[in-house]
Amino acid sequence: QVQLVESGGGLVQPGGSLRLSCAASGNILGITTMGWYRQAPGKQRELVATITSGGRTNFADSVKGRFTISRDNAKNTVYLQMNSLKPEDPAVYSCTSVYHGLPLWGKGTLVTVST
């Protein structure tokens, strides 16, 4: 009943920054935690960052200190600010939400890091 639409992906140089946005629509009352996954070719999908309804955040060790996650509950939108991007960061980044205890994903937005 919930749709997640990501935006903000693109091409950035190493050391650069991007901000991803994810807007949730539909029956949003069941959403608690929101966050971001990423998946690169040949790799497992990994959880990048999460934020609860109360604002508690968690980050993967690989992005800790470089990425931040924030949430605008009024807009039903979650953001991922990615700074100091590294060559190992390129992937399809997918927004996720926990909807009535079950995880949902958006279709993803591509982040490419290249010179």
Side-chain angles (χ1 to χ4, degrees):
Q1 301 293 336
V2 173
Q3 294 181 337
L4 304 174
V5 180
E6 304 98 332
S7 62
L11 175 65
V12 65
Q13 294 183 353
S17 299
L18 284 174
R19 190 181 77 160
L20 307 182
S21 300
C22 172
S25 62
N27 190 10
I28 62 173
L29 293 179
I31 296 176
T32 54
T33 300
M34 298 188 71
W36 294 89
Y37 282 84
R38 68 183 181 184
Q39 187 170 29
K43 296 183 179 180
Q44 293 287 104
R45 194 175 207 165
E46 66 172 340
L47 184 62
V48 177
T50 60
I51 183 168
T52 67
S53 298
R56 181 175 294 180
T57 60
N58 289 99
F59 298 92
D61 290 339
S62 59
V63 306
K64 195 172 298 182
R66 300 187 296 118
F67 292 10
T68 59
I69 188 170
S70 60
R71 182 173 182 171
D72 187 335
N73 289 326
K75 296 181 178 180
N76 300 312
T77 300
V78 64
Y79 305 93
L80 184 68
Q81 178 67 46
M82 304 184 294
N83 299 321
S84 301
L85 283 161
K86 298 179 178 180
E88 60 265 32
D89 292 324
V92 174
Y93 285 72
S94 299
C95 179
T96 185
S97 68
V98 179
Y99 178 66
H100 293 296
L102 297 176
L104 302 175
W105 292 274
K107 294 182 179 180
T109 185
L110 179 64
V111 173
T112 302
V113 181
S114 177
T115 59

